[in-house]
């Protein structure tokens, strides 16, 4: 039997994501600082052989995967440039998000550009 391993970001509702993994978006700045980079929810769905998790970055990010079986938070070093110099800052990042961003090879960017410039010659205006 051939196996197909997939990992991707999903919307929280209507995609088969378990309710115990869905996180509500925080609107107050004080509450955001309390959960940002710290809140991680996970669930294994044995009947579908899938793994679901959500991680709170600046807003909740939900993942579904047939490849991963657990998630953990990494400390990723990000270089910030300010006032002509730079300094390194440690940023919490989900291991699944780190691998996903490293290996997607611009697919999300291609989808975004395809949406802007449609095949029928008309283009979409970006909404803010």
């Amino acid at each position: 039997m051939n196996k197909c391993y997939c990992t991707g970001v999903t919307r929280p509702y209507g995609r088969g994501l378990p309710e115990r993994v869905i996180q509500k978006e925080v609107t107050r700045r004080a509450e955001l600082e309390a959960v940002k980079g710290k809140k991680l929810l996970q669930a294994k769905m044995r009947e579908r052989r899938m793994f679901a998790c959500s991680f709170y970055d600046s807003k909740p990010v939900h993942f579904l995967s047939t490849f991963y079986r657990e998630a953990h938070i990494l400390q990723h070093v990000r270089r910030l440039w300010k006032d002509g110099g730079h300094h390194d800052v440690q940023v919490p990042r989900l291991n699944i998000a780190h691998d996903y961003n490293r290996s997607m090879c611009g697919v999300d960017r291609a989808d975004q550009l395809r949406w802007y410039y449609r095949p029928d010659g008309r283009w979409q205006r970006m909404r803010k």
Side-chain angles (χ1 to χ4, degrees), residues 60-120:
V61 180
H62 302 88
F63 281 93
L64 279 175
S65 178
T66 57
F67 182 73
Y68 291 95
R69 293 292 170 230
E70 69 175 31
H72 55 274
I73 298 172
L74 305 172
Q75 291 299 320
H76 180 73
V77 177
R78 176 174 274 169
R79 180 166 286 181
L80 294 178
W81 296 86
K82 188 175 182 180
D83 299 328
H86 65 82
H87 61 281
D88 295 336
V89 176
Q90 292 211 354
V91 179
R93 181 183 280 183
L94 192 63
N95 66 322
I96 297 173
H98 181 73
D99 294 342
Y100 176 78
N101 289 333
R102 191 179 60 201
S103 63
M104 71 179 176
C105 300
V107 172
D108 287 345
R109 183 72 172 153
D111 289 343
Q112 181 184 12
L113 292 173
R114 190 179 70 230
W115 186 82
Y116 291 153
Y117 305 101
R118 296 176 14 182
D120 61 1

Short mmCIF file of all heavy atoms in Angstrom, two decimals, residues 60-120:
data_model
loop_
_atom_site.label_atom_id
_atom_site.label_comp_id
_atom_site.label_asym_id
_atom_site.label_seq_id
_atom_site.Cartn_x
_atom_site.Cartn_y
_atom_site.Cartn_z
N PRO A 60 -3.88 32.30 16.05
CA PRO A 60 -3.80 30.84 16.05
C PRO A 60 -3.48 30.28 14.66
O PRO A 60 -4.03 30.74 13.67
CB PRO A 60 -5.20 30.39 16.49
CG PRO A 60 -5.88 31.58 16.99
CD PRO A 60 -5.19 32.78 16.46
N VAL A 61 -2.58 29.30 14.61
CA VAL A 61 -2.22 28.63 13.37
C VAL A 61 -2.53 27.15 13.58
O VAL A 61 -2.06 26.55 14.54
CB VAL A 61 -0.72 28.81 13.04
CG1 VAL A 61 -0.37 28.11 11.75
CG2 VAL A 61 -0.37 30.28 12.97
N HIS A 62 -3.35 26.57 12.69
CA HIS A 62 -3.81 25.19 12.83
C HIS A 62 -3.18 24.32 11.74
O HIS A 62 -3.20 24.69 10.57
CB HIS A 62 -5.33 25.12 12.74
CG HIS A 62 -6.01 25.97 13.76
ND1 HIS A 62 -6.31 27.29 13.55
CD2 HIS A 62 -6.42 25.69 15.01
CE1 HIS A 62 -6.89 27.78 14.61
NE2 HIS A 62 -6.96 26.84 15.52
N PHE A 63 -2.66 23.16 12.12
CA PHE A 63 -2.03 22.23 11.19
C PHE A 63 -2.73 20.88 11.22
O PHE A 63 -3.15 20.41 12.27
CB PHE A 63 -0.56 21.99 11.58
CG PHE A 63 0.37 23.08 11.17
CD1 PHE A 63 0.67 24.10 12.04
CD2 PHE A 63 0.96 23.07 9.92
CE1 PHE A 63 1.55 25.10 11.69
CE2 PHE A 63 1.84 24.07 9.55
CZ PHE A 63 2.13 25.08 10.43
N LEU A 64 -2.80 20.25 10.05
CA LEU A 64 -3.19 18.85 9.92
C LEU A 64 -2.03 18.13 9.25
O LEU A 64 -1.42 18.67 8.31
CB LEU A 64 -4.44 18.69 9.06
CG LEU A 64 -5.77 18.94 9.71
CD1 LEU A 64 -6.89 18.86 8.69
CD2 LEU A 64 -6.02 17.96 10.83
N SER A 65 -1.73 16.91 9.69
CA SER A 65 -0.60 16.19 9.12
C SER A 65 -0.82 14.69 9.17
O SER A 65 -1.38 14.17 10.12
CB SER A 65 0.68 16.54 9.88
OG SER A 65 1.77 15.82 9.37
N THR A 66 -0.35 14.01 8.12
CA THR A 66 -0.29 12.55 8.14
C THR A 66 1.15 12.10 8.36
O THR A 66 1.42 10.91 8.44
CB THR A 66 -0.81 11.95 6.82
OG1 THR A 66 -0.04 12.49 5.73
CG2 THR A 66 -2.27 12.27 6.62
N PHE A 67 2.09 13.02 8.41
CA PHE A 67 3.51 12.71 8.58
C PHE A 67 3.94 12.79 10.04
O PHE A 67 4.61 11.90 10.55
CB PHE A 67 4.33 13.68 7.74
CG PHE A 67 5.81 13.44 7.80
CD1 PHE A 67 6.37 12.35 7.16
CD2 PHE A 67 6.63 14.30 8.50
CE1 PHE A 67 7.73 12.11 7.23
CE2 PHE A 67 8.00 14.09 8.57
CZ PHE A 67 8.55 12.98 7.93
N TYR A 68 3.55 13.85 10.73
CA TYR A 68 3.98 14.06 12.12
C TYR A 68 3.06 13.33 13.08
O TYR A 68 1.88 13.16 12.82
CB TYR A 68 3.97 15.55 12.45
CG TYR A 68 5.04 16.31 11.72
CD1 TYR A 68 4.77 16.95 10.53
CD2 TYR A 68 6.33 16.39 12.22
CE1 TYR A 68 5.74 17.65 9.84
CE2 TYR A 68 7.32 17.08 11.54
CZ TYR A 68 7.02 17.71 10.35
OH TYR A 68 7.99 18.38 9.68
N ARG A 69 3.61 12.95 14.23
CA ARG A 69 2.83 12.32 15.30
C ARG A 69 2.86 13.12 16.59
O ARG A 69 2.13 12.82 17.52
CB ARG A 69 3.34 10.90 15.57
CG ARG A 69 3.09 9.97 14.42
CD ARG A 69 1.60 9.72 14.27
NE ARG A 69 1.32 9.00 13.03
CZ ARG A 69 0.42 9.39 12.16
NH1 ARG A 69 -0.30 10.44 12.36
NH2 ARG A 69 0.21 8.69 11.08
N GLU A 70 3.72 14.12 16.66
CA GLU A 70 3.74 15.02 17.82
C GLU A 70 4.40 16.32 17.39
O GLU A 70 5.10 16.40 16.39
CB GLU A 70 4.47 14.41 19.00
CG GLU A 70 5.96 14.26 18.82
CD GLU A 70 6.63 13.76 20.09
OE1 GLU A 70 6.00 13.01 20.85
OE2 GLU A 70 7.77 14.16 20.31
N ALA A 71 4.14 17.36 18.17
CA ALA A 71 4.69 18.68 17.88
C ALA A 71 5.37 19.21 19.14
O ALA A 71 4.99 18.86 20.25
CB ALA A 71 3.58 19.64 17.45
N HIS A 72 6.38 20.03 18.93
CA HIS A 72 7.03 20.69 20.05
C HIS A 72 7.51 22.07 19.60
O HIS A 72 7.62 22.35 18.41
CB HIS A 72 8.17 19.84 20.62
CG HIS A 72 9.20 19.45 19.61
ND1 HIS A 72 9.07 18.34 18.82
CD2 HIS A 72 10.36 20.03 19.25
CE1 HIS A 72 10.11 18.24 18.03
NE2 HIS A 72 10.91 19.26 18.27
N ILE A 73 7.79 22.90 20.57
CA ILE A 73 8.18 24.28 20.30
C ILE A 73 9.70 24.38 20.27
O ILE A 73 10.37 23.96 21.21
CB ILE A 73 7.58 25.24 21.35
CG1 ILE A 73 6.06 25.17 21.29
CG2 ILE A 73 8.07 26.66 21.12
CD1 ILE A 73 5.36 25.91 22.39
N LEU A 74 10.22 24.93 19.17
CA LEU A 74 11.65 25.17 19.01
C LEU A 74 11.97 26.61 19.34
O LEU A 74 11.10 27.48 19.23
CB LEU A 74 12.07 24.92 17.56
CG LEU A 74 11.77 23.58 16.93
CD1 LEU A 74 12.10 23.63 15.45
CD2 LEU A 74 12.57 22.50 17.60
N GLN A 75 13.20 26.87 19.70
CA GLN A 75 13.67 28.25 19.84
C GLN A 75 14.47 28.59 18.59
O GLN A 75 15.60 28.14 18.43
CB GLN A 75 14.51 28.41 21.11
CG GLN A 75 13.73 28.28 22.38
CD GLN A 75 12.64 29.34 22.50
OE1 GLN A 75 12.83 30.50 22.16
NE2 GLN A 75 11.49 28.93 22.99
N HIS A 76 13.87 29.35 17.70
CA HIS A 76 14.50 29.71 16.43
C HIS A 76 15.20 31.07 16.59
O HIS A 76 14.64 31.99 17.16
CB HIS A 76 13.43 29.79 15.34
CG HIS A 76 13.95 30.16 14.01
ND1 HIS A 76 14.68 29.29 13.23
CD2 HIS A 76 13.86 31.30 13.30
CE1 HIS A 76 15.01 29.88 12.11
NE2 HIS A 76 14.52 31.10 12.13
N VAL A 77 16.41 31.18 16.07
CA VAL A 77 17.16 32.43 16.16
C VAL A 77 16.86 33.26 14.92
O VAL A 77 17.05 32.82 13.79
CB VAL A 77 18.68 32.16 16.27
CG1 VAL A 77 19.44 33.47 16.28
CG2 VAL A 77 18.98 31.35 17.50
N ARG A 78 16.37 34.45 15.15
CA ARG A 78 16.07 35.38 14.06
C ARG A 78 16.94 36.61 14.21
O ARG A 78 17.06 37.18 15.28
CB ARG A 78 14.59 35.78 14.11
CG ARG A 78 14.23 36.81 13.07
CD ARG A 78 12.77 37.05 13.06
NE ARG A 78 12.21 36.05 12.16
CZ ARG A 78 10.93 35.80 12.04
NH1 ARG A 78 10.06 36.44 12.80
NH2 ARG A 78 10.48 34.92 11.20
N ARG A 79 17.56 37.04 13.11
CA ARG A 79 18.44 38.20 13.12
C ARG A 79 17.62 39.46 12.83
O ARG A 79 16.91 39.54 11.83
CB ARG A 79 19.52 38.03 12.07
CG ARG A 79 20.48 39.20 12.03
CD ARG A 79 21.70 38.86 11.26
NE ARG A 79 22.50 37.97 12.10
CZ ARG A 79 23.66 37.47 11.76
NH1 ARG A 79 24.17 37.73 10.60
NH2 ARG A 79 24.32 36.69 12.58
N LEU A 80 17.69 40.43 13.72
CA LEU A 80 16.99 41.70 13.55
C LEU A 80 18.00 42.80 13.27
O LEU A 80 19.02 42.92 13.95
CB LEU A 80 16.19 42.05 14.80
CG LEU A 80 15.02 41.14 15.15
CD1 LEU A 80 14.37 41.60 16.43
CD2 LEU A 80 14.02 41.10 14.03
N TRP A 81 17.70 43.60 12.26
CA TRP A 81 18.56 44.72 11.89
C TRP A 81 17.93 46.01 12.41
O TRP A 81 16.77 46.28 12.16
CB TRP A 81 18.71 44.80 10.38
CG TRP A 81 19.41 43.61 9.83
CD1 TRP A 81 18.84 42.41 9.46
CD2 TRP A 81 20.81 43.46 9.62
NE1 TRP A 81 19.79 41.54 9.03
CE2 TRP A 81 21.03 42.16 9.12
CE3 TRP A 81 21.91 44.29 9.82
CZ2 TRP A 81 22.29 41.69 8.80
CZ3 TRP A 81 23.15 43.81 9.48
CH2 TRP A 81 23.34 42.53 8.99
N LYS A 82 18.73 46.80 13.12
CA LYS A 82 18.22 48.05 13.67
C LYS A 82 19.39 49.01 13.88
O LYS A 82 20.44 48.61 14.39
CB LYS A 82 17.50 47.79 14.99
CG LYS A 82 16.79 48.99 15.55
CD LYS A 82 16.00 48.61 16.79
CE LYS A 82 15.26 49.81 17.31
NZ LYS A 82 14.50 49.50 18.49
N ASP A 83 19.20 50.24 13.47
CA ASP A 83 20.19 51.30 13.66
C ASP A 83 21.57 50.93 13.10
O ASP A 83 22.60 51.16 13.72
CB ASP A 83 20.33 51.66 15.15
CG ASP A 83 19.02 52.16 15.74
OD1 ASP A 83 18.24 52.78 14.98
OD2 ASP A 83 18.77 51.91 16.93
N GLY A 84 21.58 50.36 11.92
CA GLY A 84 22.83 50.04 11.25
C GLY A 84 23.53 48.80 11.76
O GLY A 84 24.58 48.42 11.26
N GLY A 85 22.98 48.12 12.72
CA GLY A 85 23.58 46.90 13.27
C GLY A 85 22.54 45.81 13.38
O GLY A 85 21.38 46.00 13.03
N HIS A 86 22.94 44.69 13.86
CA HIS A 86 21.99 43.59 14.04
C HIS A 86 22.21 42.92 15.38
O HIS A 86 23.28 43.02 15.98
CB HIS A 86 22.13 42.56 12.91
CG HIS A 86 23.45 41.85 12.89
ND1 HIS A 86 23.72 40.78 13.70
CD2 HIS A 86 24.57 42.07 12.17
CE1 HIS A 86 24.93 40.36 13.47
NE2 HIS A 86 25.49 41.13 12.55
N HIS A 87 21.16 42.27 15.82
CA HIS A 87 21.26 41.43 17.01
C HIS A 87 20.32 40.24 16.81
O HIS A 87 19.36 40.30 16.06
CB HIS A 87 20.93 42.22 18.29
CG HIS A 87 19.56 42.79 18.32
ND1 HIS A 87 19.20 43.93 17.66
CD2 HIS A 87 18.44 42.36 18.95
CE1 HIS A 87 17.91 44.18 17.87
NE2 HIS A 87 17.44 43.25 18.65
N ASP A 88 20.66 39.15 17.47
CA ASP A 88 19.89 37.92 17.33
C ASP A 88 18.86 37.83 18.44
O ASP A 88 19.14 38.13 19.60
CB ASP A 88 20.81 36.70 17.39
CG ASP A 88 21.77 36.66 16.21
OD1 ASP A 88 21.44 37.26 15.18
OD2 ASP A 88 22.83 36.02 16.33
N VAL A 89 17.66 37.39 18.06
CA VAL A 89 16.55 37.25 18.99
C VAL A 89 16.04 35.82 18.87
O VAL A 89 15.88 35.29 17.77
CB VAL A 89 15.42 38.24 18.66
CG1 VAL A 89 14.23 38.03 19.57
CG2 VAL A 89 15.91 39.66 18.74
N GLN A 90 15.76 35.18 20.01
CA GLN A 90 15.18 33.85 19.98
C GLN A 90 13.67 33.96 19.92
O GLN A 90 13.05 34.63 20.74
CB GLN A 90 15.61 33.06 21.21
CG GLN A 90 17.07 32.73 21.19
CD GLN A 90 17.35 31.43 21.89
OE1 GLN A 90 16.48 30.82 22.48
NE2 GLN A 90 18.59 31.01 21.81
N VAL A 91 13.08 33.28 18.93
CA VAL A 91 11.65 33.33 18.69
C VAL A 91 11.10 31.91 18.79
O VAL A 91 11.64 30.99 18.18
CB VAL A 91 11.36 33.89 17.27
CG1 VAL A 91 9.89 33.93 16.99
CG2 VAL A 91 11.99 35.26 17.11
N PRO A 92 10.03 31.68 19.56
CA PRO A 92 9.45 30.34 19.61
C PRO A 92 8.77 30.00 18.29
O PRO A 92 8.08 30.83 17.70
CB PRO A 92 8.43 30.43 20.75
CG PRO A 92 8.15 31.87 20.93
CD PRO A 92 9.34 32.62 20.44
N ARG A 93 9.01 28.78 17.81
CA ARG A 93 8.42 28.34 16.54
C ARG A 93 8.07 26.87 16.66
O ARG A 93 8.83 26.08 17.22
CB ARG A 93 9.40 28.57 15.41
CG ARG A 93 8.85 28.15 14.08
CD ARG A 93 9.86 28.30 12.99
NE ARG A 93 9.93 29.69 12.58
CZ ARG A 93 10.69 30.10 11.58
NH1 ARG A 93 11.45 29.27 10.93
NH2 ARG A 93 10.71 31.37 11.25
N LEU A 94 6.96 26.49 16.09
CA LEU A 94 6.53 25.10 16.09
C LEU A 94 7.40 24.31 15.12
O LEU A 94 7.70 24.78 14.02
CB LEU A 94 5.06 25.03 15.68
CG LEU A 94 4.33 23.73 15.86
CD1 LEU A 94 4.27 23.36 17.33
CD2 LEU A 94 2.93 23.84 15.31
N ASN A 95 7.82 23.11 15.49
CA ASN A 95 8.67 22.31 14.60
C ASN A 95 7.99 22.01 13.28
O ASN A 95 8.65 22.00 12.23
CB ASN A 95 9.12 21.01 15.30
CG ASN A 95 7.97 20.06 15.56
OD1 ASN A 95 6.87 20.47 15.90
ND2 ASN A 95 8.24 18.78 15.43
N ILE A 96 6.70 21.81 13.28
CA ILE A 96 5.97 21.54 12.03
C ILE A 96 5.98 22.77 11.14
O ILE A 96 6.20 22.67 9.93
CB ILE A 96 4.52 21.10 12.34
CG1 ILE A 96 4.54 19.78 13.12
CG2 ILE A 96 3.71 20.95 11.07
CD1 ILE A 96 3.20 19.34 13.60
N ALA A 97 5.78 23.95 11.71
CA ALA A 97 5.81 25.18 10.93
C ALA A 97 7.20 25.44 10.37
O ALA A 97 7.35 25.89 9.23
CB ALA A 97 5.36 26.36 11.79
N HIS A 98 8.23 25.13 11.14
CA HIS A 98 9.60 25.33 10.69
C HIS A 98 9.90 24.44 9.47
O HIS A 98 10.41 24.92 8.45
CB HIS A 98 10.56 25.02 11.83
CG HIS A 98 11.99 25.20 11.48
ND1 HIS A 98 12.55 26.44 11.34
CD2 HIS A 98 12.97 24.30 11.22
CE1 HIS A 98 13.83 26.31 11.01
NE2 HIS A 98 14.10 25.01 10.94
N ASP A 99 9.55 23.16 9.55
CA ASP A 99 9.76 22.25 8.42
C ASP A 99 8.90 22.62 7.22
O ASP A 99 9.34 22.53 6.08
CB ASP A 99 9.49 20.82 8.84
CG ASP A 99 10.48 20.30 9.86
OD1 ASP A 99 11.57 20.92 9.98
OD2 ASP A 99 10.18 19.31 10.54
N TYR A 100 7.66 23.00 7.48
CA TYR A 100 6.73 23.38 6.41
C TYR A 100 7.26 24.59 5.64
O TYR A 100 7.32 24.59 4.41
CB TYR A 100 5.36 23.69 7.02
CG TYR A 100 4.33 24.18 6.05
CD1 TYR A 100 3.68 23.30 5.20
CD2 TYR A 100 3.99 25.53 6.00
CE1 TYR A 100 2.72 23.76 4.32
CE2 TYR A 100 3.02 25.99 5.13
CZ TYR A 100 2.40 25.10 4.29
OH TYR A 100 1.45 25.56 3.43
N ASN A 101 7.69 25.62 6.34
CA ASN A 101 8.21 26.82 5.67
C ASN A 101 9.52 26.54 4.95
O ASN A 101 9.78 27.12 3.90
CB ASN A 101 8.42 27.95 6.69
CG ASN A 101 7.12 28.51 7.18
OD1 ASN A 101 6.12 28.46 6.49
ND2 ASN A 101 7.13 29.01 8.39
N ARG A 102 10.33 25.66 5.49
CA ARG A 102 11.62 25.34 4.87
C ARG A 102 11.45 24.53 3.59
O ARG A 102 12.23 24.66 2.66
CB ARG A 102 12.48 24.59 5.86
CG ARG A 102 13.92 24.44 5.43
CD ARG A 102 14.73 23.72 6.45
NE ARG A 102 14.15 22.39 6.64
CZ ARG A 102 14.33 21.64 7.70
NH1 ARG A 102 15.04 22.07 8.69
NH2 ARG A 102 13.77 20.45 7.80
N SER A 103 10.41 23.69 3.51
CA SER A 103 10.31 22.77 2.38
C SER A 103 9.18 23.06 1.40
O SER A 103 8.96 22.28 0.49
CB SER A 103 10.16 21.34 2.91
OG SER A 103 8.96 21.23 3.64
N MET A 104 8.45 24.15 1.55
CA MET A 104 7.32 24.39 0.65
C MET A 104 7.76 24.95 -0.71
O MET A 104 6.99 24.95 -1.66
CB MET A 104 6.29 25.30 1.28
CG MET A 104 6.69 26.71 1.43
SD MET A 104 5.37 27.65 2.16
CE MET A 104 6.16 29.20 2.31
N CYS A 105 8.99 25.43 -0.82
CA CYS A 105 9.58 25.86 -2.09
C CYS A 105 8.75 26.89 -2.84
O CYS A 105 8.59 26.83 -4.06
CB CYS A 105 9.84 24.66 -2.99
SG CYS A 105 10.97 23.47 -2.27
N GLY A 106 8.16 27.83 -2.16
CA GLY A 106 7.44 28.91 -2.82
C GLY A 106 6.06 28.56 -3.31
O GLY A 106 5.46 29.32 -4.07
N VAL A 107 5.51 27.42 -2.91
CA VAL A 107 4.19 27.01 -3.39
C VAL A 107 3.12 28.00 -2.96
O VAL A 107 2.25 28.38 -3.74
CB VAL A 107 3.86 25.58 -2.91
CG1 VAL A 107 2.42 25.22 -3.22
CG2 VAL A 107 4.81 24.59 -3.53
N ASP A 108 3.14 28.43 -1.70
CA ASP A 108 2.15 29.39 -1.23
C ASP A 108 2.25 30.70 -1.99
O ASP A 108 1.23 31.33 -2.29
CB ASP A 108 2.31 29.64 0.27
CG ASP A 108 1.83 28.46 1.10
OD1 ASP A 108 1.13 27.59 0.54
OD2 ASP A 108 2.16 28.40 2.28
N ARG A 109 3.45 31.15 -2.31
CA ARG A 109 3.64 32.39 -3.06
C ARG A 109 3.08 32.23 -4.47
O ARG A 109 2.46 33.14 -5.00
CB ARG A 109 5.14 32.73 -3.10
CG ARG A 109 5.44 34.01 -3.79
CD ARG A 109 5.00 35.16 -2.92
NE ARG A 109 5.47 36.40 -3.51
CZ ARG A 109 4.90 37.55 -3.34
NH1 ARG A 109 3.84 37.65 -2.57
NH2 ARG A 109 5.37 38.62 -3.89
N ALA A 110 3.27 31.08 -5.09
CA ALA A 110 2.73 30.83 -6.43
C ALA A 110 1.21 30.85 -6.40
O ALA A 110 0.56 31.40 -7.30
CB ALA A 110 3.24 29.50 -6.97
N ASP A 111 0.61 30.25 -5.36
CA ASP A 111 -0.85 30.28 -5.23
C ASP A 111 -1.36 31.71 -5.06
O ASP A 111 -2.39 32.09 -5.61
CB ASP A 111 -1.31 29.43 -4.05
CG ASP A 111 -1.13 27.95 -4.30
OD1 ASP A 111 -0.98 27.57 -5.48
OD2 ASP A 111 -1.15 27.19 -3.32
N GLN A 112 -0.63 32.51 -4.29
CA GLN A 112 -1.02 33.89 -4.07
C GLN A 112 -0.96 34.68 -5.38
O GLN A 112 -1.88 35.41 -5.71
CB GLN A 112 -0.10 34.52 -3.04
CG GLN A 112 -0.44 35.96 -2.71
CD GLN A 112 0.55 36.57 -1.74
OE1 GLN A 112 1.62 36.01 -1.49
NE2 GLN A 112 0.22 37.71 -1.21
N LEU A 113 0.11 34.52 -6.12
CA LEU A 113 0.24 35.23 -7.40
C LEU A 113 -0.79 34.76 -8.41
O LEU A 113 -1.30 35.55 -9.22
CB LEU A 113 1.66 35.08 -7.95
CG LEU A 113 2.74 35.79 -7.16
CD1 LEU A 113 4.11 35.42 -7.69
CD2 LEU A 113 2.54 37.29 -7.17
N ARG A 114 -1.11 33.47 -8.41
CA ARG A 114 -2.13 32.95 -9.32
C ARG A 114 -3.50 33.57 -9.02
O ARG A 114 -4.29 33.82 -9.91
CB ARG A 114 -2.19 31.43 -9.23
CG ARG A 114 -3.07 30.84 -10.32
CD ARG A 114 -3.13 29.33 -10.26
NE ARG A 114 -3.90 28.94 -9.09
CZ ARG A 114 -3.50 28.06 -8.19
NH1 ARG A 114 -2.34 27.48 -8.31
NH2 ARG A 114 -4.25 27.76 -7.16
N TRP A 115 -3.74 33.85 -7.75
CA TRP A 115 -5.00 34.48 -7.38
C TRP A 115 -5.05 35.92 -7.85
O TRP A 115 -6.09 36.41 -8.29
CB TRP A 115 -5.19 34.40 -5.86
CG TRP A 115 -6.53 34.89 -5.41
CD1 TRP A 115 -7.68 34.19 -5.42
CD2 TRP A 115 -6.84 36.19 -4.91
NE1 TRP A 115 -8.70 34.96 -4.93
CE2 TRP A 115 -8.21 36.21 -4.61
CE3 TRP A 115 -6.11 37.33 -4.68
CZ2 TRP A 115 -8.85 37.31 -4.11
CZ3 TRP A 115 -6.75 38.43 -4.17
CH2 TRP A 115 -8.11 38.42 -3.89
N TYR A 116 -3.92 36.64 -7.76
CA TYR A 116 -3.87 38.03 -8.20
C TYR A 116 -4.05 38.16 -9.71
O TYR A 116 -4.75 39.03 -10.21
CB TYR A 116 -2.54 38.70 -7.82
CG TYR A 116 -2.35 38.93 -6.35
CD1 TYR A 116 -1.08 38.99 -5.82
CD2 TYR A 116 -3.42 39.09 -5.49
CE1 TYR A 116 -0.87 39.20 -4.47
CE2 TYR A 116 -3.23 39.30 -4.14
CZ TYR A 116 -1.96 39.36 -3.64
OH TYR A 116 -1.76 39.56 -2.31
N TYR A 117 -3.37 37.32 -10.47
CA TYR A 117 -3.36 37.39 -11.93
C TYR A 117 -4.06 36.17 -12.50
O TYR A 117 -3.46 35.14 -12.71
CB TYR A 117 -1.93 37.48 -12.45
CG TYR A 117 -1.16 38.61 -11.84
CD1 TYR A 117 -0.26 38.40 -10.81
CD2 TYR A 117 -1.36 39.92 -12.27
CE1 TYR A 117 0.44 39.44 -10.24
CE2 TYR A 117 -0.69 40.97 -11.69
CZ TYR A 117 0.22 40.72 -10.67
OH TYR A 117 0.89 41.76 -10.11
N ARG A 118 -5.32 36.32 -12.77
CA ARG A 118 -6.13 35.20 -13.21
C ARG A 118 -5.86 34.85 -14.67
O ARG A 118 -5.45 35.69 -15.46
CB ARG A 118 -7.61 35.54 -13.02
CG ARG A 118 -7.94 35.73 -11.58
CD ARG A 118 -9.34 36.16 -11.30
NE ARG A 118 -10.29 36.04 -12.38
CZ ARG A 118 -11.55 36.40 -12.29
NH1 ARG A 118 -11.99 36.90 -11.17
NH2 ARG A 118 -12.36 36.28 -13.30
N PRO A 119 -6.12 33.60 -15.07
CA PRO A 119 -5.85 33.18 -16.46
C PRO A 119 -6.69 33.90 -17.50
O PRO A 119 -6.31 33.97 -18.66
CB PRO A 119 -6.18 31.69 -16.46
CG PRO A 119 -6.25 31.27 -15.06
CD PRO A 119 -6.50 32.49 -14.23
N ASP A 120 -7.85 34.44 -17.11
CA ASP A 120 -8.69 35.11 -18.10
C ASP A 120 -8.25 36.56 -18.38
O ASP A 120 -8.90 37.28 -19.11
CB ASP A 120 -10.16 35.09 -17.66
CG ASP A 120 -10.40 35.80 -16.34
OD1 ASP A 120 -9.43 36.33 -15.76
OD2 ASP A 120 -11.55 35.79 -15.87
#
